[in-house]
Amino acid sequence: MDSLKRFEVWFITGSQHLYGEDTLRQVAENSNSIARVLGESRRLPVKCIAKPVLTSPEAIYELCLEANGSKECVGLIVWMHTFSPAKMWIAGLNVLQIPFVHLHTQFYKEIPWGTIDMDFMNLNQSAHGGREFGFINTRMRLNRKVIVGHWKDEDILRELEVWVRAACAWKDSQNAKIARFGDNMREVAVTEGDKVAAQIRFGYAVNGYGLGDLVQYIDKVRDVDVTRLVKEYEDLYEVAESLRPGGDRREALLESAKIEIGLRAFLEEGDFVGFTTTFENLHGLPQLPGIAVQRLMAEGYGFGAEGDWKTAALVRAMKVMASGIEGGTSFMEDYTYHLEEGNMMVLGAHMLEICPTIAEKTPSLEIHPLSIGGKADPVRLVFDVPAGPGINAAVLDMGNRFRILVNEVEVVSTGQALPKLPVARAVWVPKPDLKTAATAWILAGGPHHTGFSQAVTSEHIEDFAEMVGVEYLLIDDDTHLAAFKKELMWNESYYYLSRGIG
């Protein structure tokens, strides 16, 4: 995954000419100081660029147009140092197409009780100006995050970091491309959706390809490149004896490396950020891509099995958000339950395609039969996921809107060996408990495919959903089914009625 330092967030300060040039010079100096500290902070994963203080409708409008056209700017941090009349912001906010966060702070942390005078009050009016700015945002029904507190405080920096990471994912999604090899698998409903509506809402395009398009790339792979990649496998993983030189399944390993090289070449040449496969359509492939998908995910590609393009795009967004954070992110599926009374858990896995960034230890490179697909035994990485907090997130098409659903979970170590289940797997306890979480998930229409992460939090996903402008639902320790059912009903009414609000 590329560093997010290629992106920028612009620090925008509002004021007006009423206070005189001396005050405006101080406003600019303070604004530059905050932007510099934010930019030097290890918290923010992007560059923080201070822009000139905005004091007129024309300047605000031009700044918003400039931000829209910037390839690097992912969003605006907006601060009202003094009072900035909100009518000045209408034209600019009307054309602004990128996310913004309202940082409701002030330069000085504490009131200087013994020396405070009207000059100090006029200069430090965020309590006043921030409410004016907040009104026009609400009046215009604009999605934004509001962060309140002193700009040096750790919790404020953390909130800004979360928002910036979500903004990077939003930026990455604009004009992104997902390659869909084959179509939807059989008659599965939840992996389908309106691709045009998704492109309008999220920004990414889903393009379909036949397996023959991919096979052409695989057939061009050179033996020397296969040898080089297999050597990399042997350096990175615990390779099963049958796959080592002289082993009776060595050819299968060479074939899997060939698939990986061809698939990567296809994605790179087409400038794709994610892809899907299906085990129904495998014409021309000797085995279902296993390690190829796993390793490409580890490099930052989004993935969805069985033609699930919505999950591929979500996993990519979560990969961007998680860049540089400890913990991994992967495509995931709720596979089976442990329903022991008082100890209910979920076993999450997939046939092959779980990302090794979530591996607890060095993965084992193995080959085993696959009871579906009708192809040769595929090579895959096998591992367990470490204990700790995580989330499962999903995107679903509700027909009249998209919904993002998140369940906070706690990954646990069961101490149980799984010698006959040679796939990557995780075991977790959903919050608040399996019974409540599964009920809420099903009532919300949640799919079986998710983006799983031990780096990204529910707050990242909430900020992202707000930027995109889609419904967001959270299942966590505070979830109660009665209230959750009401939230579903209220949301249905809201999203129906909101189409007529102007």
Side-chain angles (χ1 to χ4, degrees):
M1 192 74 227
D2 293 337
S3 168
L4 299 183
K5 283 297 182 184
R6 68 188 188 277
F7 291 133
E8 299 173 352
V9 63
W10 292 359
F11 192 83
I12 309 301
T13 304
S15 188
Q16 60 177 321
H17 286 286
L18 173 67
Y19 306 108
E21 292 304 314
D22 288 342
T23 296
L24 286 177
R25 278 193 291 270
Q26 187 64 56
V27 168
E29 183 179 324
N30 293 350
S31 178
N32 289 331
S33 295
I34 295 177
R36 183 176 63 254
V37 170
L38 294 180
E40 294 172 353
S41 167
R42 289 178 296 175
R43 274 290 190 181
L44 292 196
V46 303
K47 300 171 186 175
C48 185
I49 307 298
K51 290 293 180 176
V53 177
L54 299 176
T55 56
S56 71
E58 294 78 15
I60 294 169
Y61 181 80
E62 291 300 323
L63 183 282
C64 290
L65 289 180
E66 181 187 359
N68 290 343
S70 170
K71 293 181 179 180
E72 294 78 26
C73 182
V74 301
L76 308 180
I77 300 175
V78 185
W79 174 43
M80 298 299 111
H81 192 316
T82 62
F83 192 80
S84 180
K87 288 175 67 177
M88 294 198 312
W89 289 85
I90 293 174
L93 293 174
N94 263 331
V95 300
L96 185 65
Q97 297 171 350
I98 66 173
F100 71 96
V101 57
H102 179 184
L103 179 59
H104 191 53
T105 189
Q106 61 186 33
F107 190 74
Y108 294 98
K109 189 167 189 175
E110 299 175 355
I111 294 175
W113 303 105
T115 60
I116 186 172
D117 56 17
M118 285 307 301
D119 288 338
F120 184 95
M121 295 273 279
N122 285 333
L123 176 62
N124 298 281
Q125 281 197 64
S126 192
H128 184 191
R131 283 164 167 76
E132 171 77 352
F133 184 66
F135 165 74
I136 204 62
N137 295 165
T138 300
R139 175 64 180 81
M140 296 174 70
R141 293 171 174 84
L142 300 176
N143 291 335
R144 82 282 191 192
K145 185 172 188 175
V146 179
I147 297 177
V148 179
H150 192 259
W151 52 278
K152 283 188 177 180
D153 289 348
E154 183 62 25
D155 64 322
I156 302 305
L157 293 173
R158 184 199 62 78
E159 287 186 71
L160 278 173
E161 178 194 6
V162 169
W163 180 85
V164 166
R165 288 181 175 278
C168 289
W170 177 89
K171 184 74 169 184
D172 181 79
S173 184
Q174 307 310 301
N175 302 311
K177 296 194 296 183
I178 306 294
R180 195 185 197 203
F181 295 111
D183 200 359
N184 190 55
M185 196 182 75
R186 295 183 171 85
E187 297 186 50
V188 178
V190 76
T191 52
E192 277 288 17
D194 187 334
K195 302 182 191 69
V196 174
Q199 187 168 353
I200 293 170
R201 177 57 63 187
F202 292 92
Y204 60 79
V206 181
N207 302 319
Y209 299 90
L211 259 290
D213 298 321
L214 173 59
V215 170
Q216 289 181 14
Y217 283 77
I218 295 173
D219 288 344
K220 294 177 182 177
V221 173
R222 302 180 304 168
D223 290 343
V224 63
D225 294 324
V226 171
T227 300
R228 186 182 299 114
L229 182 56
V230 168
K231 177 63 167 59
E232 184 177 326
Y233 292 169
E234 293 168 340
D235 291 341
L236 292 176
Y237 313 119
E238 301 290 340
V239 181
E241 186 173 348
S242 64
L243 297 175
R244 297 174 188 168
D248 61 353
R249 308 306 301 276
R250 181 71 172 182
E251 284 301 316
L253 182 62
L254 300 178
E255 193 63 54
S256 66
K258 189 175 180 181
I259 292 173
E260 178 181 336
I261 295 168
L263 179 53
R264 180 180 286 104
F266 184 100
L267 296 173
E268 289 178 351
E269 185 173 310
D271 198 26
F272 295 100
V273 301
F275 64 102
T276 74
T277 61
T278 165
F279 58 79
E280 184 179 35
N281 181 359
L282 292 171
H283 181 71
L285 292 182
Q287 59 177 269
L288 184 65
I291 187 174
V293 173
Q294 293 177 292
R295 284 170 49 84
L296 285 165
M297 257 196 291
E299 293 176 16
Y301 285 96
F303 173 75
E306 300 150 32
D308 191 350
W309 51 270
K310 296 190 299 298
T311 301
L314 177 63
V315 170
R316 167 64 182 189
M318 294 171 71
K319 289 281 187 181
V320 173
M321 294 181 215
S323 179
I325 302 179
E326 184 177 351
T329 299
S330 177
F331 168 77
M332 185 61 72
E333 177 172 290
D334 292 63
Y335 229 102
T336 192
Y337 291 139
H338 181 76
L339 295 179
E340 176 187 2
E341 187 173 354
N343 189 34
M344 293 185 179
M345 297 176 288
V346 178
L347 172 60
H350 207 257
M351 299 175 300
L352 304 169
E353 310 98 339
I354 301 298
C355 180
T357 60
I358 62 173
E360 181 176 23
K361 299 177 182 177
T362 301
S364 174
L365 183 54
E366 303 178 14
I367 183 169
H368 300 275
L370 193 65
S371 58
I372 55 179
K375 291 289 183 176
D377 299 341
V379 176
R380 83 292 300 267
L381 297 173
V382 178
F383 53 85
D384 292 299
V385 177
I391 63 167
N392 274 308
V395 176
L396 50 152
D397 187 341
M398 295 298 294
N400 64 341
R401 67 188 186 279
F402 289 96
R403 168 180 287 169
I404 294 183
L405 180 62
V406 175
N407 187 192
E408 295 182 352
V409 304
E410 187 71 26
V411 180
V412 296
S413 177
T414 64
Q416 299 291 327
L418 298 169
K420 295 186 177 181
L421 186 66
V423 295
R425 59 269 173 144
V427 179
W428 63 77
V429 177
K431 295 183 178 183
D433 56 75
L434 189 150
K435 186 178 179 67
T436 302
T439 302
W441 190 273
I442 290 170
L443 287 172
H448 54 292
H449 290 165
T450 62
F452 169 88
S453 184
Q454 292 184 301
V456 173
T457 68
S458 56
E459 187 178 356
H460 290 92
I461 305 297
E462 181 179 10
D463 284 355
F464 178 73
E466 194 166 72
M467 292 172 191
V468 174
V470 299
E471 179 186 10
Y472 171 80
L473 291 170
L474 174 64
I475 303 169
D476 63 0
D477 273 332
D478 295 326
T479 297
H480 298 276
L481 287 176
F484 192 81
K485 291 177 182 178
K486 291 177 182 177
E487 185 176 4
L488 290 174
M489 290 188 289
W490 294 334
N491 285 5
E492 199 68 49
S493 299
Y494 168 78
Y495 282 98
Y496 176 78
L497 296 172
S498 65
R499 289 177 292 179
I501 295 177

